[in-house]
Amino acid sequence: SPPPGENEDRARVRGLRSLILLNNLINPNGVDQISSALRENTTLLTLDLSSNFVQNRGAKSLADAVRTHPTLQTLALRSNGVGDDGAMALAQMVQHNHTITCLDLHDNEISEHACDKLRRAWGSADERSTGGLKIPRGRFTTPQPSEPPPPPSGNEAARGARLQRDANKP
């Protein structure tokens, strides 16, 4: 028999429509528990786990749970240490789940290659707007060369010439 109150907790999770847990120090183990609860929930519209410690393992766990979720529209994982492995799992998820209309992955460690995969997966659903995918943009461009340093002032040039002359003395 379940502990007292567990059935009521499960009923609340099943009917939950929005879950916002910003800055709660949630690690991949905590995400596993949230993912497990998501499998029982059929009403959640928004899940925001921004600024936690979801990382790749947690992103994979969420991707698996959300893959067939019937109502989730917004998944926010901003600033969570998600890298390419987690992004690839989420890209596979969005190919199968067409209810997701906003996926926020800003401020994560996702390469340009993984961002391209996410864009292609996101674009495979006709009803999605491109504005609903929030991933790093322009962050991976090749930096432009900096401007050359200004020429040395008169005193610096004279000191440099003196050092050069002294270095040539026997």
Side-chain angles (χ1 to χ4, degrees):
S1 149
E6 185 173 320
N7 288 335
E8 292 84 10
D9 288 345
R10 286 184 180 271
R12 270 187 242 127
V13 166
R14 279 189 212 112
L16 197 62
R17 295 179 54 81
S18 180
L19 183 58
I20 300 172
L21 297 169
L22 288 89
N23 281 327
N24 274 283
L25 304 175
I26 298 170
N27 63 23
N29 293 331
V31 174
D32 288 343
Q33 292 176 13
I34 292 167
S35 295
S36 178
L38 274 174
R39 289 181 180 89
E40 294 185 33
N41 172 286
T42 58
T43 58
L44 194 68
L45 300 173
T46 300
L47 177 58
D48 189 343
L49 298 176
S50 295
S51 300
N52 282 289
F53 299 99
V54 171
Q55 302 172 331
N56 284 324
R57 198 187 83 172
K60 288 177 183 179
S61 178
L62 281 171
D64 185 50
V66 172
R67 182 182 204 117
T68 58
H69 197 279
T71 59
L72 191 68
Q73 296 173 1
T74 300
L75 178 59
L77 298 174
R78 179 183 289 252
S79 300
N80 264 296
V82 175
D84 286 358
D85 289 346
M88 295 298 202
L90 291 165
Q92 289 177 353
M93 177 273 294
V94 299
Q95 287 180 318
H96 298 280
N97 182 321
H98 297 285
T99 62
I100 298 278
T101 56
C102 181
L103 177 61
D104 186 350
L105 292 169
H106 269 128
D107 300 323
N108 283 290
E109 301 301 319
I110 303 170
S111 72
E112 185 173 12
H113 172 73
C115 286
D116 287 342
K117 292 269 189 190
L118 277 161
R119 281 187 206 98
R120 281 196 294 280
W122 190 260
S124 67
D126 294 337
E127 65 274 8
R128 287 194 186 120
S129 76
T130 55
L133 180 62
K134 298 171 183 359
I135 54 178
R137 293 186 191 276
R139 188 169 128 190
F140 304 106
T141 58
T142 306
Q144 298 299 315
S146 59
E147 291 186 26
S153 67
N155 289 341
E156 290 171 348
R159 186 174 56 237
R162 222 178 9 258
L163 289 173
Q164 182 66 35
R165 234 185 2 248
D166 291 344
N168 291 334
K169 288 184 180 177

